[in-house]
């Protein structure tokens, strides 16, 4: 019995001090103060602004890009799709967002490049579509394939 109690006394402090994350925020390094601020808002203040977070990559993040994107979504005419089936609404959003913002697929490009020259890759376009689906409250799941 004494061994069991001793074991619990030794284990409890380990459990209480265990790390639930691989990296602490204070251990991160950032390329700019803007990037640090975006991450701080996201993780420490729980302000989930994905557009701001994604825009911090690259050399030319534009503050007007977010406004341009959400203004486009607002004026896209989605309300006429409200009575349509889910797959038609998804197709409508996909086609409109693609035609308005995405020009050329480039394997090595950043999210901010979408708004500079229309270049995108599978990750940056997925982020853009997710924000559009969130805006219109369309549920989605991101699936990664082994080869892509």
């Amino acid at each position: 019995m004494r061994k069991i109690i001793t074991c619990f006394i030794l284990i409890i402090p380990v459990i209480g001090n265990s790390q639930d994350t691989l990296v602490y925020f204070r251990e991160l390094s950032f390329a700019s103060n803007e990037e640090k601020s975006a991450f701080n808002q996201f993780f420490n203040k729980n302000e989930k602004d994905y557009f701001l977070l994604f825009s911090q990559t690259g050399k030319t993040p534009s503050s007007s890009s977010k406004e341009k994107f959400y203004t486009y979504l607002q004026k896209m005419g989605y309300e006429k799709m409200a009575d349509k089936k889910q797959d038609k609404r998804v197709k409508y959003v996909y086609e409109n967002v693609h035609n308005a913002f995405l020009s050329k697929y480039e394997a090595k490009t950043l999210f901010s490049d979408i708004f500079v020259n229309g270049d995108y890759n599978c990750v940056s376009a997925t982020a853009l579509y997710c924000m559009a689906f969130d805006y219109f409250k369309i549920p989605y799941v991101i699936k990664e394939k082994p080869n892509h």
Side-chain angles (χ1 to χ4, degrees), residues 113-126:
D113 293 337
I114 291 172
F115 300 95
V116 174
N117 54 18
D119 290 353
Y120 66 96
N121 62 20
C122 55
V123 175
S124 62
T126 298

Side-chain angles (χ1 to χ4, degrees), residues 72-73 76-99 125-126 128-130 132-134 136-141:
Y72 178 81
L73 294 180
M76 194 170 75
Y78 181 77
E79 59 279 349
K80 66 184 175 188
M81 300 300 294
D83 60 335
K84 304 288 184 191
K85 291 184 179 180
Q86 186 82 340
D87 60 333
K88 293 208 185 266
R89 289 185 282 162
V90 168
K91 184 178 179 184
Y92 182 80
V93 171
Y94 171 83
E95 289 175 349
N96 277 275
V97 168
H98 186 86
N99 291 337
T126 298
L128 193 71
Y129 289 128
C130 289
F133 292 151
D134 284 345
F136 293 117
K137 296 179 177 39
I138 297 173
Y140 61 89
V141 174

Side-chain angles (χ1 to χ4, degrees), residues 9-146:
I9 290 172
L10 293 175
I11 291 176
I12 290 173
V14 171
I15 293 171
N17 292 326
S18 66
Q19 185 173 337
D20 66 347
T21 183
L22 295 174
V23 178
Y24 289 109
F25 187 82
R26 67 181 176 272
E27 298 172 330
L28 297 175
S29 60
F30 301 97
S32 68
N33 286 334
E34 292 81 9
E35 183 182 45
K36 183 176 183 177
S37 176
F39 273 81
N40 185 46
Q41 287 176 11
F42 189 87
F43 289 109
N44 295 331
K45 295 181 181 176
N46 207 25
E47 296 174 12
K48 305 296 184 200
D49 187 344
Y50 292 103
F51 200 100
L52 176 64
L53 197 62
F54 295 141
S55 295
Q56 295 309 306
T57 61
K59 295 180 180 148
T60 54
S62 171
S63 58
S64 65
S65 300
K66 179 179 177 181
E67 184 180 334
K68 177 182 175 185
F69 176 66
Y70 285 107
T71 298
Y72 178 81
L73 294 180
Q74 185 180 20
K75 295 179 179 180
M76 194 170 75
Y78 181 77
E79 59 279 349
K80 66 184 175 188
M81 300 300 294
D83 60 335
K84 304 288 184 191
K85 291 184 179 180
Q86 186 82 340
D87 60 333
K88 293 208 185 266
R89 289 185 282 162
V90 168
K91 184 178 179 184
Y92 182 80
V93 171
Y94 171 83
E95 289 175 349
N96 277 275
V97 168
H98 186 86
N99 291 337
F101 296 99
L102 307 177
S103 301
K104 181 180 173 190
Y105 180 87
E106 290 286 335
K108 293 186 179 183
T109 189
L110 302 170
F111 181 79
S112 57
D113 293 337
I114 291 172
F115 300 95
V116 174
N117 54 18
D119 290 353
Y120 66 96
N121 62 20
C122 55
V123 175
S124 62
T126 298
L128 193 71
Y129 289 128
C130 289
M131 288 184 289
F133 292 151
D134 284 345
Y135 180 84
F136 293 117
K137 296 179 177 39
I138 297 173
Y140 61 89
V141 174
I142 300 171
K143 294 183 180 182
E144 181 182 13
K145 295 183 178 181

